[in-house]
């Protein structure tokens, strides 16, 4: 039996559209009478993620360095323009089938059967999965629950509905936010399957309870209720009903609309049901595919966000390429020129694809990596070549993405520098210190370094000096984290070296690497959430913790009395192994913390191998004891440190603190911030917590491992070598960083309109004066560009330092890192 | 010790000001006291003192510009403020020595008087800047004003809900107490922080003062022992405790408004007087040169 299609594409997002666009060109060239491909979309329309964006949202086309290769157009612009262009492409004759949700894929290359939710099936030789990572909304699970005007699974704009009775089903954040927004103009019922709103964020929990109790608001809740049936309206515009199973029996609610927000079914289970393997259990893990985007199931291809490429342009390029591959053309991917550029300064004449292969073989840890993932790693990395000083001057200066030349014998990073990139040595030699002024270690080709800062976010410890004719791959933290999340082997490899080097740095053992590896294998890695206790005052201890990332606070006589804070690379609880086993203080993780737990046996093995180092350890311990003792005798200071730690300052590197006994409330700090940052203040002086004349205003504290950098699609958030975390121009305004920041320090904002200068305000009163204008109206131009994320950049590069501090007339505004907290609280 | 405006860089500008003061005195004394040429602004020493004074006044007024030149890297605003305080204080001595206490009903003395007003308003400003921040902070107990207003809002909502279960008379009184609570007001009222809240007592008539919520608290506490039903007593007790908290919050907010008002108020004298002084100074200098 002949198959229906050569290619079946699942998911009509940008990637899927691009596949269809290219396949259609092939059809036109061969003059096929029926399409050789079908684009199956479970929803009623294409590109539903982008359709859900707010009206007029500016969609960016990062990464800027990559060229678009697709038959379907795409350039940065308004949501409507982009959707309109795609609609035109579809109208030009793409074979799209809507409402065709694929629920199962069976078969093998050359003979796949795709089962649809409607019961139909489609057969195809090859399948391209481009379903993204959003997943499909969970349905009500009763008759009549298909998406319609009456039953909605998304809500674009609450103001679309007025004067209606609307039933919102669900108890998560989305359901609560929708229900509250709708209740401004409608009567709303929210249906909760449980007896409380336990899944919601605190803010939403309080808001929904307030709304339910608010007598002036038509907002009702049905607890412990499930949906028994849906009665569709007879004609559009009339009311239908929903039937509920409530603890008091069945209840029928007549309504104009039902909005179900029951979360989504993540695509992972579906993907695995097709036979595709996902290497790691981590939620961010992506399926392994080869250079042609083919999964472990031959003939089944994975592209776009599902394959780990969340940006529209990348996904569309892959869509084009995958059709080429299916048609047997081994085209060079769109990123080939980028690769060439990166390798341009290497001292050999070789094709970029061959160099790529060579390098992968050189590094044991990367050897078994998926070639596509390795390619991505290289494209996101910088290739660095070291040259003697006299040759360096003659070296060609390439573009931003070309090979980087550095002077041999010079550091690639220095002690104390903030950088979290990861270095892999492919040729030559690097000399490495593990702590400031520590002994030198040699790094040979195939080995890597820089994993300490990668994992802990702390500044570099010790220098790394590159010898002549060395070649290094420098990979950004973001790319390494993604790799470690999806590749267990790489994660373990890095982890193991991290532990060994951490032990070397802390104990300087005189043992061979093999012996050290044996000890390292016995060391246990522990994770603690903020507030979790490592050990408690008064108990008997038999281990110590070497802090790997995060901050641990020691408290004595009550957890709010903090007598010391310890950071990565430092030891906690060593007293139990070096003196009395009775714990003298309680150790608590101030922020999310990872430690290496060493028992007596491992500790003794390490220190006995190098008895000379014991006196150093004893010296450090006695210093810590003197210090904790002094803090314990100043409960007020200890309490203030405890307060700062409670505010998450343990992970800060550069935070604004206001001494309220000096602050006159003039807000000159906020104005200075706005005036030096495009009219938008990045700090809110008055809000934030206070204790005993210390106030922590809402503003960025430049965390050790910035939460905001976790999930930035265009990689717009960077950290300078001097530690400032800042947002570059490539921000696409997605709001991930705003959500991820636990300290509310990032906001999305239009750029402020220009203002008359200072003198025309001073002399003639023109304009609103210095500072962020209250409730300004953005210009049409800035509305076009859209909101972008703004946050404090600690006035990076500004002579004299942070404007907020420099503008404070009384000296109340202070910026500092955790090291200075003690000075601050002891001074009062 | 905390580094404020006064001890900035270990009193650097205090020392400068002291030196300038001593220098001015020496200059003044060097004029001698011959009856033919008594010390005044007309001697060369007088001219030097006058020039120093005029330059000081100009420089002191530039603080208003420097404070708003946010990109400037010319020192910090804190350093400028510290210098402003000390050099502003010594100006009093410089100008007095310049005029040799020769006063009259003329523009010269007007400039001098304006200068004194500016300086003394500055002294007052310094006093509030040094003493009030601590009081603001301890008054508002580690929360911001918005947080207190939010608690007040919730408290009022709760009072409305609880009062709905009481008799109409009490409910009317309670609601009127909420309605007629006064906070803020015009500048004068803000600074006095007098509680002008009223309450409508049962039986009509003009609303009477309910300062510090006292009428309500008294009425409620008086009625609790008389309550006939347990539920009534419970309602009254809850209202009493709610109004107790309300009294505290309102008092605190009023003080906050007053203190923050005082922190700003003095600048409304200091700055306009400075402009007046600059004008008078200009006239003073011109007239001196015209009538040479």
């Amino acid at each position: 039996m002949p198959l229906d299609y050569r290619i079946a594409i699942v998911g009509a997002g940008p990637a899927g559209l691009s596949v269809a666009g290219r396949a259609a060109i092939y059809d036109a060239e061969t003059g096929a009478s029926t399409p050789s491909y079908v684009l199956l979309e479970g929803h009623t329309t294409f590109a539903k993620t982008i359709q859900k964006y707010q009206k007029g949202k500016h969609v960016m086309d990062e990464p800027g360095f990559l060229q678009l290769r697709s038959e379907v157009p795409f350039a940065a612009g308004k949501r409507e323009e982009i959707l309109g262009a795609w609609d035109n492409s579809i109208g030009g004759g793409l074979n799209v089938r809507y409402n065709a949700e694929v629920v199962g894929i069976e078969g093998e290359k050359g003979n796949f059967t795709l089962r649809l939710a409607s019961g139909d099936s489609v057969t195809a030789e090859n399948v391209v999965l481009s379903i993204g990572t959003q997943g499909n909304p969970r349905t009500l699970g009763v008759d009549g629950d298909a998406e319609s005007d009456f039953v909605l699974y998304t809500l674009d704009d609450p103001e679309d509905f007025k004067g209606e009775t609307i039933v919102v089903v669900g108890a998560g954040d989305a359901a609560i936010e929708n229900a509250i927004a709708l209740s401004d103009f409608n009567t709303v019922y929210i249906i909760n399957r449980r007896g409380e709103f336990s899944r919601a964020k605190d803010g939403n929990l309080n808001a929904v309870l307030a709304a339910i109790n608010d007598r002036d608001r038509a907002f009702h809740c049905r607890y412990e209720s499930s949906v028994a049936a849906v009665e569709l309206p007879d004609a559009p515009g009339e009311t239908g009903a929903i039937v509920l199973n409530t603890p008091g029996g069945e209840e029928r609610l007549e309504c104009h609309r039902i909005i179900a927000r029951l979360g989504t079914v993540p695509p992972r289970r579906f993907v695995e049901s097709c036979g595709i393997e996902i290497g790691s259990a981590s939620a961010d893990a992506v399926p392994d595919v080869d250079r042609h985007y083919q999964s472990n199931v031959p003939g089944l291809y994975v592209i776009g966000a599902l394959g780990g490429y969340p940006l529209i342009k990348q996904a569309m390029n892959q869509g084009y390429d995958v059709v080429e591959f299916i048609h047997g053309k081994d085209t060079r991917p769109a990123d080939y020129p980028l690769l060439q550029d990166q390798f341009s300064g290497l001292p050999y004449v070789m094709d970029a694809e061959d160099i790529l292969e060579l390098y992968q073989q050189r590094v044991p840890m990367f050897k078994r990596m998926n070639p596509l993932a390795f390619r991505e790693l290289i494209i996101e990395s910088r290739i660095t070549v070291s040259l003697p000083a006299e040759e360096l001057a003659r070296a060609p200066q390439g573009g931003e993405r070309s090979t980087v030349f550095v002077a041999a014998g010079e550091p690639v990073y220095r002690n104390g520098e903030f950088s979290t990139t990861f270095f892999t040595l492919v040729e030559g030699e690097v000399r490495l210190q593990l702590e400031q002024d520590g002994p030198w270690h040699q790094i040979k080709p195939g080995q890597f370094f820089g994993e300490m800062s990668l994992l802990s976010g702390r500044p570099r410890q010790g220098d790394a000096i590159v010898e002549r004719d060395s070649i290094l791959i420098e990979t950004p933290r973001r790319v390494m984290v993604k790799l470690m999340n999806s590749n267990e082997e790489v994660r373990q490899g890095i982890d193991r070296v991290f532990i060994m080097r951490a032990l070397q740095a802390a104990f300087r053992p005189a043992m061979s690497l093999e012996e050290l590896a044996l000890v390292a294998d016995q060391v246990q890695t522990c994770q603690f959430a903020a507030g979790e206790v490592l050990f408690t005052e008064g108990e008997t201890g038999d281990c110590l913790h070497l802090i790997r990332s995060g901050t641990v606070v020691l408290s004595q006589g009550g957890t709010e009395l903090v007598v010391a804070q310890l950071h990565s690379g430092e030891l906690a609880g060593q007293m139990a192994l070096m003196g009395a086993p009775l714990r003298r203080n309680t150790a608590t993780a101030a922020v999310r913390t990872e430690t290496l737990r060493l028992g007596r046996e491992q500790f003794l093995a390490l220190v006995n191998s190098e008895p000379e180092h014991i006196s150093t350890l004893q010296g450090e311990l006695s210093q810590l004891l003197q210090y904790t003792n002094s803090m314990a005798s100043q409960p007020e200071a200890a309490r203030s440190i405890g307060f700062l730690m409670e505010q998450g300052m343990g992970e800060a590197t550069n935070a604004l603190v206001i001494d309220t006994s000096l602050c006159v409330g003039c807000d000159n700090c906020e104005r200075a911030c706005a005036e030096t940052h495009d009219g938008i203040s990045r700090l809110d002086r008055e809000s934030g917590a206070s204790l005993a004349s210390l106030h922590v205003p809402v503003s960025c504290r430049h965390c050790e491992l910035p939460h905001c950098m976790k999930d930035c699609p265009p990689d717009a958030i960077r950290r300078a070598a001097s530690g400032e975390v800042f947002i570059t121009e490539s921000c696409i305004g997605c709001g991930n960083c705003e959500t991820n920041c636990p300290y509310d320090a990032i906001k999305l904002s239009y750029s402020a309109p220009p203002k008359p200068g200072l003198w025309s305000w001073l002399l003639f009163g023109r304009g609103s004066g210095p500072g962020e204008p209250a409730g300004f109206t953005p210009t049409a131009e800035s509305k076009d560009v859209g909101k972008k994320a703004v946050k404090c950049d600690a006035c990076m590069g500004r002579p004299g330092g942070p404007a907020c501090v420099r503008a404070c007339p009384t000296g109340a505004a202070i910026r500092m890192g955790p090291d200075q907290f003690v000075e601050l609280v002891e001074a009062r | 010790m905390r580094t404020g405006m006064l001890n900035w860089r270990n009193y650097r500008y205090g020392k400068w000001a002291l030196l300038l003061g001593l220098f001015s005195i020496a200059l003044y004394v060097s004029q001698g006291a011959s009856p033919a040429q008594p010390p005044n602004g007309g001697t060369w020493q007088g001219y030097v003192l006058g020039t120093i004074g005029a330059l000081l006044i100009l420089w002191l007024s530039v603080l208003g510009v420097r404070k708003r030149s946010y990109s400037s890297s010319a020192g910090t605003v804190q350093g400028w403020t510290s210098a402003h305080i000390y050099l502003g204080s010594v100006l009093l001595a410089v100008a007095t020595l310049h005029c040799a206490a020769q006063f009259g009903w003329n523009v010269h003395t007007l400039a001098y008087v304006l200068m004194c007003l500016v300086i003394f308003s500055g002294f007052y400003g310094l006093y509030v800047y040094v003493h009030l921040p601590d009081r603001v902070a301890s008054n508002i107990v580690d929360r911001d004003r918005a947080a207190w207003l939010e608690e007040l809002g919730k408290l009022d909502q709760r009072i409305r809900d609880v009062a709905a279960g009481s008799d109409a008379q009490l409910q009317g009184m309670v609601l009127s107490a909420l309605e007629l609570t006064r906070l803020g007001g015009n500048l004068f009222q803000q600074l006095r922080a007098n509680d002008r809240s009223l309450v409508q007592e049962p039986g009509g008539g003009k609303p009477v003062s309910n300062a510090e919520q006292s009428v309500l608290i008294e009425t409620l506490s008086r009625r609790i022992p008389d309550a006939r039903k347990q539920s009534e007593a419970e309602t009254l007790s809850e209202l009493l405790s709610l109004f107790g908290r309300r009294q505290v919050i309102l008092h605190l907010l009023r003080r906050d408004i007053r203190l923050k008002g005082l922190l700003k108020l003095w600048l409304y004298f200091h700055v306009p007087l400075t402009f007046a002084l600059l004008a008078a100074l200009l006239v003073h200098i011109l007239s001196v040169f015209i009538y040479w």
Side-chain angles (χ1 to χ4, degrees):
Chain A
M1 199 181 86
L3 297 184
D4 297 338
Y5 301 104
R6 181 160 187 187
I7 307 173
I9 310 145
V10 185
L17 287 172
S18 183
V19 180
R22 186 62 192 155
I25 295 290
Y26 270 98
D27 281 359
E29 281 173 7
T30 57
S33 54
T34 53
S36 68
Y37 68 94
V38 64
L39 176 52
L40 300 168
E41 169 56 52
H43 202 63
T44 50
T45 178
F46 61 95
K48 71 172 179 250
T49 304
I50 296 165
Q51 302 263 11
K52 264 193 276 175
Y53 287 173
Q54 76 202 37
K55 287 193 188 98
K57 181 181 166 67
H58 185 80
V59 181
M60 321 253 176
D61 61 355
E62 296 297 322
F65 57 78
L66 190 66
Q67 294 294 313
L68 177 73
R69 182 194 277 182
S70 177
E71 307 294 347
V72 178
F74 172 63
K78 279 191 183 170
R79 163 190 175 273
E80 287 72 19
E81 291 164 8
I82 289 163
L83 291 173
W86 291 349
D87 204 16
N88 280 341
S89 293
I90 295 170
L94 295 190
N95 185 29
V96 190
R97 194 164 152 190
Y98 293 111
N99 290 317
E101 189 189 339
V102 176
V103 292
I105 301 174
E106 284 121 34
E108 55 191 7
K109 186 177 172 95
N111 186 15
F112 283 107
T113 305
L114 295 87
R115 281 185 293 108
L116 305 186
S118 60
D120 269 6
S121 63
V122 170
T123 55
E125 289 170 34
N126 300 287
V127 177
V128 179
L129 275 185
S130 54
I131 52 177
T133 51
Q134 303 273 308
N136 289 321
R138 225 177 274 276
T139 55
L140 289 170
V142 294
D143 281 346
D145 67 354
E147 174 128 36
S148 62
D149 271 353
F150 183 64
V151 180
L152 299 171
Y153 289 99
T154 58
L155 176 65
D156 292 338
D157 185 358
E159 303 219 347
D160 288 347
F161 309 113
K162 284 183 181 160
E164 298 190 347
T165 299
I166 299 177
V167 177
V168 177
V169 186
D173 291 310
I176 293 173
E177 284 161 16
N178 284 178
I180 290 174
L182 285 166
S183 69
D184 287 345
F185 299 105
N186 304 282
T187 301
V188 171
Y189 290 85
I190 186 164
I191 312 300
N192 186 350
R193 203 156 46 89
R194 294 164 212 242
E196 58 201 76
F197 287 89
S198 51
R199 280 192 296 134
K201 288 193 285 204
D202 276 356
N204 278 332
L205 177 65
N206 294 337
V208 74
L209 296 181
I212 293 169
N213 292 326
D214 186 344
R215 284 162 201 224
D216 302 327
R217 198 173 263 271
F219 193 99
H220 314 279
C221 179
R222 295 288 181 270
Y223 289 109
E224 293 177 47
S225 302
S226 58
V227 178
V230 168
E231 295 170 19
L232 297 177
D234 296 330
E238 287 182 28
T239 57
I242 187 167
V243 182
L244 304 172
N245 278 325
T246 69
E250 210 161 78
E251 183 182 3
R252 184 176 177 279
L253 290 174
E254 206 161 291
C255 57
H256 295 85
R257 228 166 282 283
I258 299 170
I259 294 177
R261 299 308 303 264
L262 303 164
T264 53
V265 189
R268 181 171 183 140
R269 190 177 293 173
F270 168 72
V271 171
E272 286 178 328
S273 78
C274 304
I276 297 176
E277 286 162 12
I278 298 179
S280 152
S282 151
D284 308 323
V286 293
D288 249 8
V289 294
D290 66 12
R291 202 168 83 65
H292 294 159
Y293 311 118
Q294 190 165 223
S295 69
N296 60 297
V297 180
L300 189 48
Y301 297 81
V302 175
I303 59 171
L306 184 62
Y309 297 86
L311 295 170
I312 296 174
K313 200 168 12 173
Q314 287 173 334
M316 293 183 73
N317 285 357
Q318 293 182 349
Y320 180 100
D321 290 347
V322 82
V323 178
E324 301 293 296
F325 298 144
I326 289 172
H327 280 271
K329 294 191 181 160
D330 197 9
T331 20
R332 283 186 163 148
D335 54 21
Y336 179 77
L338 298 177
L339 219 49
Q340 267 185 318
D341 194 15
Q342 279 179 302
F343 293 147
S344 60
L346 294 182
Y348 17 75
V349 186
M350 255 168 111
D351 183 64
E353 299 283 357
D354 296 334
I355 301 177
L356 194 66
E357 221 175 294
L358 178 74
Y359 281 5
Q360 185 164 12
Q361 292 315 311
R362 283 250 170 107
V363 185
M365 193 175 66
F366 293 151
K367 233 180 225 170
R368 281 203 296 282
M369 227 173 112
N370 165 313
L372 192 67
F374 184 69
R375 183 189 195 91
E376 161 98 352
L377 178 125
I378 292 293
I379 285 186
E380 298 272 9
S381 302
R382 287 202 317 179
I383 308 294
T384 303
V385 174
S386 66
L387 296 175
E390 63 275 12
E391 281 179 42
L392 185 66
R394 292 197 304 271
Q397 286 302 306
E400 201 189 324
R401 307 190 53 82
S402 320
T403 314
V404 181
F405 297 101
V406 297
E410 291 289 316
V412 281
Y413 64 68
R414 289 170 205 272
N415 180 66
E417 203 173 282
F418 273 93
S419 66
T420 50
T421 51
F422 180 83
F423 292 90
T424 314
L425 185 67
V426 279
E427 258 173 51
E429 190 185 314
V430 166
R431 286 189 299 131
L432 183 72
Q433 280 177 320
L434 298 176
E435 57 198 301
Q436 188 171 13
D437 305 325
W440 292 97
H441 301 259
Q442 245 180 21
I443 300 288
K444 292 287 180 199
Q447 293 187 311
F448 54 82
F449 59 98
E451 75 292 334
M452 289 263 179
S453 293
L454 171 78
L455 295 180
S456 72
R458 296 283 288 173
R460 301 287 188 192
Q461 301 294 306
D463 298 352
I465 293 181
V466 59
E467 300 298 357
R468 65 174 292 174
D469 298 326
S470 301
I471 300 175
L472 284 164
I473 305 171
E474 184 182 359
T475 314
R477 177 171 199 277
R478 172 185 57 91
V479 179
M480 287 312 294
V481 168
K482 189 169 145 190
L483 178 62
M484 287 165 72
N485 275 338
S486 55
N487 190 322
E488 197 55 25
E489 202 181 326
V490 171
R491 196 186 63 75
Q492 282 174 359
I494 294 179
D495 240 17
R496 201 180 147 95
V497 170
F498 178 95
I499 293 174
M500 284 168 58
R501 292 202 180 134
L503 295 178
Q504 278 181 324
F507 303 103
R508 298 206 186 163
M511 43 169 76
S512 68
L513 284 180
E514 289 72 29
E515 287 172 305
L516 184 63
L518 284 180
V519 179
D521 285 342
Q522 290 168 4
V523 168
Q524 194 190 342
T525 306
C526 310
Q527 290 174 335
F528 300 93
E532 266 189 273
V533 172
L534 283 72
F535 54 79
T536 314
E537 189 175 347
E539 69 182 21
T540 314
D542 58 353
C543 68
L544 65 81
H545 291 266
L546 171 55
I547 302 167
R548 174 180 151 122
S549 69
T551 299
V552 170
V553 294
L554 299 181
S555 54
Q556 207 165 310
T559 46
E560 76 284 3
L561 297 173
V562 173
V563 294
Q565 29 161 344
L566 304 166
H567 300 279
S568 58
E570 295 182 304
L571 299 174
Q574 67 271 48
M575 185 67 180
L577 301 183
M578 293 174 73
L582 194 71
R583 300 285 193 201
R584 289 290 175 186
N585 22 50
T586 299
T588 315
V591 293
R592 197 166 47 97
T593 298
E594 284 189 355
T595 68
L596 304 176
R597 186 175 181 279
L598 275 79
R600 187 175 299 276
E601 199 188 319
Q602 296 104 45
F603 175 72
L604 290 178
L606 289 165
V607 295
N608 287 341
S609 75
E610 180 62 15
E612 275 176 29
H613 193 58
I614 295 182
S615 60
T616 314
L617 289 176
Q618 283 170 335
E620 284 167 7
L621 176 60
S622 76
Q623 242 178 17
L624 178 69
L625 287 173
Q626 273 182 30
Y627 175 76
T628 52
N629 187 50
S630 130
M631 283 300 279
S633 52
Q634 309 173 63
E636 281 316 311
R639 190 166 284 125
S640 293
I641 295 275
F643 160 73
L644 289 172
M645 291 297 134
E646 215 172 274
Q647 301 309 311
M649 299 290 257
E651 62 179 329
T653 65
N654 178 354
L656 178 64
V657 179
I658 290 179
D659 184 336
T660 53
S661 68
L662 294 176
C663 177
V664 296
C666 66
D667 278 333
N668 212 35
C669 46
E670 274 185 30
R671 274 183 222 123
C673 185
E675 288 301 310
T676 47
H677 293 88
D678 306 323
I680 307 287
S681 172
R682 283 103 210 273
L683 82 98
D684 185 346
R685 176 190 60 83
E686 207 174 2
S687 55
S690 317
L691 181 86
S693 78
L694 286 181
H695 176 62
V696 181
V698 172
S699 112
C700 177
R701 61 270 311 268
H702 304 268
C703 300
E704 284 183 351
L705 286 177
H707 303 264
C708 52
M709 286 172 80
K710 231 171 0 204
D711 212 7
C712 176
D715 188 26
I717 307 182
R718 302 292 176 88
R719 169 157 239 157
S722 38
E724 299 90 346
V725 178
F726 61 99
I727 304 180
T728 64
E729 283 299 304
S730 59
C731 170
I732 56 173
C734 69
N736 282 357
C737 52
E738 186 192 27
T739 315
N740 284 338
C741 175
Y743 307 114
D744 286 336
I746 304 186
K747 59 183 176 185
L748 290 177
S749 173
Y750 291 114
S751 56
K755 272 187 305 204
L758 176 63
W759 284 104
S760 53
W761 172 74
L762 272 179
L763 299 178
F764 311 110
R766 287 180 52 210
S768 55
E772 179 176 333
F776 62 85
T777 337
T779 59
E781 213 171 295
S782 71
K783 268 196 157 169
D784 259 2
V785 174
K787 287 187 176 179
K788 292 204 175 193
V790 295
K791 70 178 274 300
C792 161
D793 60 0
C795 290
M796 199 174 56
R798 193 162 280 285
C804 49
V805 174
R806 300 172 51 75
C808 179
T810 61
I814 320 158
R815 288 199 84 96
M816 56 174 62
D819 307 345
Q820 291 137 297
F821 289 164
V822 177
E823 247 170 81
L824 174 73
V825 299
E826 276 189 333
R828 47 205 59 235
Chain B
M1 185 173 164
R2 288 179 308 231
T3 309
M5 299 168 290
L6 293 176
N7 57 351
W8 191 82
R9 294 282 152 90
N10 204 14
Y11 302 93
R12 176 191 290 176
Y13 293 109
K15 293 168 189 166
W16 283 31
L18 197 64
L19 285 180
L20 182 60
L22 291 173
F23 172 74
S24 307
I25 292 171
L27 213 55
Y28 177 83
V29 172
S30 75
Q31 292 176 89
S34 76
Q37 179 57 64
N40 71 24
T43 64
W44 71 263
Q45 293 95 335
Y47 273 110
V48 171
L49 285 170
T51 309
I52 293 175
L55 289 176
L56 270 179
I57 289 173
L58 278 179
W59 180 83
L60 289 165
S61 3
V62 170
L63 178 69
V65 177
R66 170 61 188 89
K67 182 183 141 188
R68 294 176 178 87
S69 307
Y70 299 103
S71 307
S72 165
S73 53
T76 62
V77 174
Q78 193 190 358
W80 274 70
T81 313
S82 184
H84 184 87
I85 293 166
Y86 287 114
L87 298 179
S89 309
V90 85
L91 173 63
L92 203 55
V94 172
T96 310
L97 295 172
H98 162 67
C99 72
Q102 294 174 341
F103 300 120
W105 292 105
N106 51 37
V107 69
H108 313 295
T109 302
L110 174 68
Y112 181 84
V113 169
L114 283 170
M115 185 201 73
C116 290
L117 288 176
V118 172
I119 294 174
F120 284 111
S121 67
F123 284 158
Y124 174 72
L126 179 62
Y127 171 82
V128 298
Y129 268 30
V130 168
H131 287 96
L132 294 197
D134 256 335
R135 284 169 61 190
V136 171
S138 62
N139 174 56
I140 207 150
V141 233
D142 300 338
R143 286 163 79 179
D144 63 5
R145 192 188 279 179
W148 286 110
L149 285 171
E150 196 185 316
E151 185 181 341
L152 184 66
K154 282 190 181 149
L155 206 58
D156 286 4
Q157 187 54 47
R158 180 72 197 145
I159 289 175
R160 282 198 180 88
D161 291 350
V162 174
S166 65
D167 59 84
Q169 211 179 47
L170 182 63
Q171 199 183 341
M173 202 168 154
V174 165
L175 292 182
S176 79
L178 298 189
E179 284 299 300
L180 300 175
T181 295
R182 297 281 175 267
L183 206 53
N186 62 32
L187 181 68
F188 182 67
Q189 289 164 337
Q190 285 190 23
L191 293 177
R192 276 195 64 196
N194 226 355
D195 190 349
R196 293 168 296 114
S197 300
L198 303 172
V199 63
Q200 178 70 59
E201 289 201 303
K206 276 186 79 168
V208 297
S209 164
N210 186 29
E212 302 294 332
Q213 304 295 302
S214 56
V215 174
L216 250 289
I217 288 173
E218 202 203 301
T219 309
L220 288 165
S221 52
R222 196 158 21 82
R223 281 189 52 176
I224 291 172
D226 294 345
R228 261 166 271 146
K229 280 184 294 183
Q230 197 191 339
S231 65
E232 190 189 348
E234 276 166 11
T235 305
L236 291 170
S237 304
E238 185 171 359
L239 281 176
L240 179 62
S241 79
L242 289 169
F243 270 98
R245 179 72 180 154
R246 197 164 188 272
Q247 173 194 28
V248 170
I249 297 178
L250 284 169
H251 187 82
L252 174 153
L253 282 169
R254 234 169 242 123
R255 268 177 66 95
D256 188 52
I257 292 169
R258 176 181 134 80
L259 292 171
K260 286 185 179 155
L262 285 175
L263 276 171
K264 293 204 171 74
L265 176 74
W266 68 278
L267 279 170
Y268 289 97
F269 295 95
H270 193 68
V271 176
L273 283 170
T274 301
F275 280 104
L277 165 61
L278 286 173
L281 183 67
L282 186 68
V283 176
H284 160 65
I285 294 171
L286 287 178
S287 60
V288 165
F289 282 106
I290 289 168
Y291 297 108
W292 197 323

